[in-house]
């Protein structure tokens, strides 16, 4: 569907833990063909002193109810205000924006690696990969077990593995400390990842070393979200490219992340 | 419905609302949002003779009522523009201006010569005010002799409407305005961004890769209004006002201060439809106050 500015109605706001909320936003325009990794740029209520819109991955799409889901982690003024949105209020949202993850042509074995709120684009990705019958392993990392959300829903689409820095859930350490990053890594046809940049760089390095295809979703700060301000650029083999229009998803071969 | 059309030194605008360079891409990005022909005109990205990669990321810092940018004129160069972008602009029936920048007078000339060949480009907006490049840019807009030299040189090779965009980073904006008017500018646009800085206290580092950048948005509006007022009183050529225009009321204030047209910049990021709401709002204001034409309020400040 074409990108547009829409007023979406908040139909539910579920608090998942102390700092994560899941919003369901209903559209009046028929939703179609939204890709995992695409995002929405949401205006924060004026009283919050937040000037620019805030970008969020499209977490899930419910085509029957014509709504999109947004997973929000409160880290600052904008995200905290949006995570407290009330059912019934409307939010100004520009979407769908950006280029999403791509799908393998043949039936494949894929690994989804999410860190922190970087799990957000992976839910829609897992949903769509499952629809085309790929074999899916999902590895989610967080600081503590408390910070891991939506494990049950991920489990509908693949085998879920976890790592936590304090060892309170799953393997202790970072995602790359998990056994999946050992000898088994070579057995995957593709890795999809989203999370803090140091985590994605570590994942990308191992993907390079093991010669596995890998797509990452970047979270550069943005002003417009649709390719006109050139504030969100990342260094690629083709020079500076906008994360909001050429990404947020990039094949690691396009990025200068080899080292 | 009042009349919104206005002539700006050879540019016939169907309404006085344009969009500002660097905030509107090449226009085509807005096709999904609205019909570009509804605009009085639009100014495309800053264009230079040679391709430029721009500055390193991070290039943006947010403030409570505006933003700093340090894009640094990233663009594919004038040849790329002419070959790859220009053909896509032929479908639009509005005034398209190219914002031209350079590090040397020779670069400005060579770039303007190539734009001169493009029939569908209505005019040049000469950017002598970019604060985000090491050489040239703002340096041409902060001294009278330098501004005169570059405007005169471009005037010689460019025979369509020449709008010159001024920097607010000067002690007396009217001196520069008079200098560019005397050197052949058909109109004057202002303001470009204001040199500014942002620091991240926790990491004790600058937010921008370039340390300093240009401030835009509502934070700069009072300064922009003051400068538009000073300049429009001192020159005869039309003035195009911008700086923090977010809605129609802001736009009206610029007309009252003496602007014959306005440009919408940072507001496009918050709401891609901003220019459309502003056009409707200007119409509404004129009707409410029983004005027959936009021309009746230009410079209409009641002192
Ligand atoms: C394409 C994309 C998709 C995203 N998807 C989601 C999502 O699904 N769910 C979600 O919760 N968040 C997501 N984010 C991140 C989210 O947009 C930011 O957390 C949000 O903009 C922060 O706004 P704020 O006002 O709460 O914080 P601010 O007050 O603006 O910032 C708080 C602190 O975080 C830092 N910070 C903020 N944004 C960034 C950034 N992008 N990179 C590095 N440091 C930063 C600031 O420097 C500051 O120190 C996404 C970002 C992008 C670009
Ligand atoms: C991200 C960004 C990029 C810009 N790039 C240019 C440019 O290439 N050339 C130019 O003359 N002005 C440029 N400007 C300045 C704007 O055109 C405008 O003069 C300024 O932002 C003030 O208006 P505003 O407050 O409405 O944005 C840029 C501004 C921003 C925010
Ligand atoms: S955020 Fe404006 S170009 Fe990407």
């Amino acid at each position: 569907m074409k990108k547009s500015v829409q007023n979406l109605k908040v139909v539910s706001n579920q608090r998942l833990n102390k700092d994560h909320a899941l919003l369901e936003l209903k559209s009046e325009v028929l939703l179609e063909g939204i890709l995992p990794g695409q995002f929405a740029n949401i205006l924060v209520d004026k009283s919050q002193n937040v000037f620019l819109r805030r970008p969020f991955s499209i977490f899930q799409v419910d085509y029957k109810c014509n709504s999109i889901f947004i997973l929000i982690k409160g880290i600052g003024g904008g995200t905290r205000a949006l995570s407290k949105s009330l059912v019934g209020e409307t939010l100004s949202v520009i979407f769908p924006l950006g280029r999403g993850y791509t799908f393998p042509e043949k039936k494949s074995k894929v690994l989804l690696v999410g860190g922190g709120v970087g799990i957000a684009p992976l839910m829609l990705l897992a949903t769509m990969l499952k629809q085309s019958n790929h074999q899916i392993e999902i590895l989610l990392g967080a600081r503590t077990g408390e910070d891991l959300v939506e494990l049950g829903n991920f489990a509908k689409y693949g085998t879920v593995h976890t790592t936590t820095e304090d060892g309170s859930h799953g393997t202790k350490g970072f995602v790359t400390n998990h056994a999946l990053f050992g000898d088994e890594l070579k057995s995957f046809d593709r890795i999809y990842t989203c999370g803090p940049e140091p985590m994605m760089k570590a994942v990308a390095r191992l993907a390079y070393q093991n010669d596995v295809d890998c797509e990452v979703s970047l979270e550069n700060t943005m002003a417009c979200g649709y390719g006109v301000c050139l504030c969100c650029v990342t260094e690629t083999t083709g020079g500076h490219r906008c994360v909001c229009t050429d990404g947020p998803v990039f094949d690691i071969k396009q990025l200068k992340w080899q080292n | 419905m009042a009349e919104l059309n206005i002539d700006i030194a050879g540019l016939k605008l169907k309404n006085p609302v344009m969009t500002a360079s660097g905030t509107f891409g090449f226009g085509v990005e807005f096709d999904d949002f609205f019909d570009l022909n509804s605009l009085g005109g639009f100014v495309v990205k800053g264009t230079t003779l040679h391709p430029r990669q721009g500055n390193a990321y991070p290039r943006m810092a947010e403030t409570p009522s505006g933003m700093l940018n340090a894009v640094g004129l990233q663009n594919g160069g004038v040849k790329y523009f002419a070959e790859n972008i220009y053909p896509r602009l032929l479908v639009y029936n509005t005034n398209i201006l190219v914002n031209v920048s350079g590090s040397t007078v020779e670069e400005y000339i060579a770039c303007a010569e190539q734009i001169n060949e493009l029939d569908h480009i209505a005019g040049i907006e000469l950017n002598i005010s970019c604060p985000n490049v090491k050489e040239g840019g703002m340096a041409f807009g902060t001294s009278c002799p330098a501004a005169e030299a570059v405007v005169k040189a471009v005037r010689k090779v460019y025979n369509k409407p020449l709008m010159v965009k001024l920097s607010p980073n000067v002690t007396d904006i009217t001196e520069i305005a008079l200098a560019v008017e005397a050197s052949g500018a058909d109109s004057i646009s202002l303001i470009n961004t204001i040199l500014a800085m942002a620091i991240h206290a926790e990491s004790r580092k600058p937010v921008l890769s370039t340390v300093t950048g240009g401030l835009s948005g509502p934070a700069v509006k009072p300064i922009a209004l003051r400068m538009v007022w000073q300049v429009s009183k001192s020159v005869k050529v039309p003035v195009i006002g911008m700086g923090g225009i977010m809605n129609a009321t802001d736009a009206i204030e610029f007309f009252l201060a003496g602007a014959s047209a306005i440009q919408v910049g940072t507001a496009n990021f918050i709401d891609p439809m901003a220019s459309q709401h502003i056009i409707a709002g200007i119409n509404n204001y004129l009707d409410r106050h029983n004005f027959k034409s936009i021309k009746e309020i230009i410079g209409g400040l009641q002192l």
Side-chain angles (χ1 to χ4, degrees):
Chain A
M1 63 189 281
K2 280 202 305 192
K3 63 181 185 287
S4 64
V5 191
Q6 291 189 31
N7 286 318
L8 301 187
K9 193 172 207 156
V10 180
V11 289
S12 73
N13 180 358
Q14 209 187 325
R15 183 132 294 263
L16 303 178
N17 64 16
K18 64 178 189 321
D19 48 15
H20 285 74
L22 186 63
L23 299 188
E24 180 179 1
L25 308 173
K26 194 172 167 69
S27 172
E28 296 299 319
V29 179
L30 188 70
L31 299 178
E32 51 191 358
I34 293 174
L35 295 171
Q38 286 193 302
F39 65 98
N41 215 2
I42 308 184
L43 194 66
V44 183
D45 187 276
K46 284 198 182 65
S47 62
Q48 303 299 329
N49 260 342
V50 173
F51 182 63
L52 297 166
R53 285 172 185 265
R54 293 292 186 264
F56 297 94
S57 307
I58 296 174
F59 178 76
Q60 188 57 285
V61 186
D62 183 338
Y63 288 103
K64 267 199 225 102
C65 298
N66 210 50
S67 58
I68 59 171
F69 288 80
I70 303 288
L71 176 69
I72 301 178
K73 179 179 184 192
I75 62 154
T79 48
R80 278 195 209 108
L82 287 171
S83 73
K84 289 181 195 136
S85 300
L86 301 174
V87 171
E89 75 177 290
T90 56
L91 295 175
S92 168
V93 185
I94 309 178
F95 80 106
L97 297 169
R99 271 198 225 176
Y101 292 103
T102 64
F103 294 93
E105 279 163 23
K106 318 190 285 272
K107 191 168 178 298
S108 300
K109 183 177 172 194
V110 297
L111 174 62
L112 277 54
V113 185
V117 76
I119 65 166
L122 302 183
M123 187 63 87
L124 182 58
L125 177 64
T127 310
M128 294 180 71
L129 285 167
K130 169 93 177 170
Q131 281 160 5
S132 25
N133 285 318
H134 297 291
Q135 187 190 333
I136 306 167
E137 302 278 333
I138 301 166
L139 173 59
L140 305 171
R143 269 190 304 124
T144 72
E146 287 260 287
D147 301 315
L148 287 164
V149 294
E150 290 291 299
L151 297 181
N153 279 323
F154 273 112
K156 292 182 197 160
Y157 309 109
T159 315
V160 175
H161 312 265
T162 59
T163 62
T164 50
E165 287 170 39
D166 69 353
S168 56
H169 199 291
T171 304
K172 184 173 161 102
F174 298 117
V175 287
T176 45
N177 296 125
H178 194 275
L180 284 164
F181 279 92
D183 292 341
E184 198 185 341
L185 199 64
K186 283 196 174 62
S187 72
F188 288 97
D189 299 300
R190 189 179 293 191
I191 302 171
Y192 296 99
T193 183
C194 183
E197 197 163 297
M199 180 205 93
M200 290 196 287
K201 282 187 166 155
V203 170
R205 206 173 306 123
L206 289 162
Y208 273 123
Q209 284 167 13
N210 289 279
D211 205 18
V212 182
D213 286 346
C214 181
E215 291 185 350
V216 301
S217 181
L218 304 186
E219 294 202 345
N220 288 12
T221 47
M222 298 182 175
C224 70
Y226 52 91
V228 299
C229 73
L230 307 187
C231 288
C232 62
V233 292
T234 190
E235 194 87 53
T236 71
T237 49
H240 281 143
R241 289 279 178 272
C242 288
V243 168
C244 70
T245 46
D246 286 306
V249 175
F250 290 89
D251 186 315
I252 55 169
K253 293 188 201 83
Q254 291 173 272
L255 302 173
K256 295 181 164 171
W257 278 11
Q258 282 85 339
N259 311 307
Chain B
M1 287 262 279
E3 279 184 15
L4 289 184
N5 62 301
I6 180 122
D7 284 9
I8 296 180
L11 292 174
K12 287 195 188 320
L13 309 189
K14 60 191 90 157
N15 65 57
V17 178
M18 306 176 72
T19 49
S21 180
T23 68
F24 206 66
F26 292 113
V28 297
E29 296 87 346
F30 283 76
D31 271 339
D32 285 351
F33 295 124
F34 64 87
D35 177 6
L36 268 64
N37 294 335
S38 62
L39 294 168
F42 62 87
V43 187
V44 302
K45 272 184 191 137
T47 301
T48 49
L49 180 62
H50 304 294
R52 290 178 56 96
Q53 274 298 310
N55 296 319
Y57 178 84
R59 296 176 168 184
M60 194 274 289
E62 189 178 6
T63 79
S65 57
M67 58 176 275
L68 280 70
N69 88 82
V71 172
L73 292 174
Q74 177 178 330
N75 79 101
V78 67
K79 188 160 178 286
Y80 175 86
F81 173 78
E83 287 169 6
N84 297 284
I85 308 294
Y86 177 69
R88 297 167 66 190
L89 300 179
L90 298 174
V91 297
Y92 302 116
N93 173 26
T94 184
N95 294 287
I96 306 174
L97 280 78
V98 178
N99 181 271
V100 170
S101 209
S103 315
T104 61
V105 173
E106 290 68 34
E107 278 181 30
Y108 274 100
I109 296 172
C111 192
E113 277 173 339
Q114 294 188 47
I115 305 288
N116 203 31
E117 303 297 311
L118 309 176
D119 291 338
H120 201 62
I121 298 299
I124 280 179
E125 180 180 59
L126 201 66
N127 180 2
I128 56 169
S129 44
C130 182
N132 293 324
V133 291
K134 281 209 194 71
E135 295 149 15
M138 194 169 83
F140 287 104
T142 50
S143 104
C144 288
E148 277 166 17
V150 67
V151 175
K152 276 189 183 144
V154 171
R155 179 75 288 176
K156 272 202 203 111
V157 300
Y158 191 71
N159 35 46
K160 283 191 282 182
L162 181 62
M163 187 183 287
V164 178
K165 183 165 178 180
L166 304 188
S167 169
N169 303 303
V170 293
T171 314
D172 182 357
I173 188 100
T174 61
E175 274 182 4
I176 308 278
L178 288 165
V180 305
E181 178 182 49
S183 307
D186 295 312
S187 62
I188 292 174
S189 60
L190 75 163
I191 60 173
N192 207 317
T193 54
I194 300 179
L195 197 60
M197 179 166 168
I199 295 175
H200 195 265
E202 289 302 315
S203 62
R204 304 190 295 280
K205 287 188 172 145
V207 178
L208 300 172
S209 68
T210 46
V211 184
T212 61
L215 180 65
S216 64
V220 310
K221 194 188 81 173
I223 298 172
L225 266 180
R226 183 263 293 177
M227 290 189 162
V228 164
W229 185 62
Q230 290 178 317
V231 169
S232 68
K233 282 197 308 176
S234 50
V235 298
K236 293 190 188 63
V237 296
V239 170
I240 296 89
M242 77 192 95
I245 297 177
M246 304 301 282
N247 53 46
T249 310
D250 294 337
I252 298 290
E253 292 168 16
F254 277 82
F255 295 123
L256 294 172
S260 297
I262 56 105
Q263 290 183 14
V264 181
T266 302
N268 293 309
F269 305 157
I270 316 292
D271 183 0
M273 306 295 286
S275 57
Q276 303 300 293
H277 299 316
I278 290 171
I279 294 169
I282 292 172
N283 238 318
N284 182 282
Y285 176 91
L286 295 175
D287 287 350
R288 244 179 337 108
H289 291 267
N290 291 315
F291 290 114
K292 298 270 170 311
S293 160
I294 183 75
K295 292 171 195 129
E296 294 173 38
I297 67 163
I298 295 169
L301 183 68
Q302 305 285 300
L303 287 171

